[in-house]
Amino acid sequence: MSEFSNVTVVKEANIFFDGGVTSRTIIFSSGSKKTLGIMMPGEYVFNTAGAELMEILSGDLEVQIAGIDSWKPVKGGESFEVPASSSFRMKVKTVTDYCCSFLA
Amino acid sequence: MSEFSNVTVVKEANIFFDGGVTSRTIIFSSGSKKTLGIMMPGEYVFNTAGAELMEILSGDLEVQIAGIDSWKPVKGGESFEVPASSSFRMKVKTVTDYCCSFLA
């Protein structure tokens, strides 16, 4: 089990798509943020402000990043990056645990 | 938004009932733990080792604690306690955000 220590956790969850995607915001001493979240099976589209790194802790999905036709399979232990001011579509196949880092 | 500061967060989620209930473990400097979790609509039964305080941050459910016939409605802003070495059954009506404190 890996951990983030000396952090602040926002108590209330971020809830999207009627609970299909939920997450907790983690704030580091540097001021940077990550979210630790769960995606239930389903299809979701998210927009990005800054670039994001999506680290899949466990689960199984396919992702299509805006401007790219192909779908990329991603599973636990793998990750994908989404540019700033972009969007990404996901087909989540199994309950998926993720960590999202906001890169800029 | 309320926060827990100077805590450790276990990165990997706790996943129960095929994602119906998921949570993150928060460890305080005192060594005590809480979990911040999400329950999707559905029926769940949990056992307790030590006593637990379930604080409902948002959502709507009914709870029946072992040994008590009646079902107690609980909604966001309310909480319920479960004794040690007991169990509780929940009928979750809407996506529910909770904080579980382990009392002993």
Side-chain angles (χ1 to χ4, degrees), chain B residues 13-49:
Chain B
N14 310 303
I15 299 177
F16 308 97
F17 301 105
D18 295 330
V21 180
T22 60
S23 68
R24 302 285 164 181
T25 301
I26 314 295
I27 305 167
F28 293 75
S29 50
S30 63
S32 67
K33 292 183 182 177
K34 293 179 189 287
T35 55
L36 289 171
I38 292 285
M39 298 189 281
M40 302 295 276
E43 282 205 27
Y44 310 106
V45 180
F46 280 97
N47 297 314
T48 59

Side-chain angles (χ1 to χ4, degrees), chain A residues 4 34-37 53-55 57 97-101, chain B residues 11:
Chain A
F4 294 129
K34 292 179 190 290
T35 54
L36 289 171
L53 172 68
M54 281 285 286
E55 189 189 345
L57 306 176
D97 186 8
Y98 72 88
C99 178
C100 178
S101 301
Chain B
K11 208 170 163 179

Side-chain angles (χ1 to χ4, degrees), chain A residues 1-13 15 18-20 22 24 26-27 36-38 40 55 57 95 97-99, chain B residues 1-13 15 18-20 22 24 26-27 36-38 40 55 57 95 97-99:
Chain A
M1 285 278 184
S2 47
E3 298 176 347
F4 294 129
S5 45
N6 292 321
V7 295
T8 294
V9 180
V10 175
K11 208 170 163 179
E12 293 75 14
I15 299 176
D18 295 330
T22 59
R24 302 285 162 179
I26 313 295
I27 306 166
L36 289 171
I38 292 284
M40 302 295 275
E55 189 189 345
L57 306 176
V95 179
D97 186 8
Y98 72 88
C99 178
Chain B
M1 286 280 183
S2 47
E3 296 176 347
F4 293 130
S5 45
N6 292 321
V7 295
T8 294
V9 181
V10 176
K11 208 170 163 179
E12 293 76 13
I15 299 177
D18 295 330
T22 60
R24 302 285 164 181
I26 314 295
I27 305 167
L36 289 171
I38 292 285
M40 302 295 276
E55 191 189 345
L57 305 176
V95 179
D97 186 9
Y98 72 88
C99 178

Side-chain angles (χ1 to χ4, degrees), chain B residues 43-48 50-56 61-74 78-91 103:
Chain B
E43 282 205 27
Y44 310 106
V45 180
F46 280 97
N47 297 314
T48 59
E52 294 178 16
L53 172 67
M54 282 285 285
E55 191 189 345
I56 304 305
L61 62 103
E62 289 184 331
V63 61
Q64 181 187 48
I65 295 172
I68 301 174
D69 286 341
S70 60
W71 286 84
K72 178 186 173 189
V74 188
E78 300 172 345
S79 60
F80 61 91
E81 240 182 79
V82 188
S85 311
S86 179
S87 65
F88 59 110
R89 180 179 298 270
M90 293 180 287
K91 291 177 186 171
L103 300 181

Side-chain angles (χ1 to χ4, degrees), chain A residues 16 26 33 77-78 93:
Chain A
F16 310 97
I26 313 295
K33 292 183 183 177
E78 299 173 346
K93 298 178 186 173

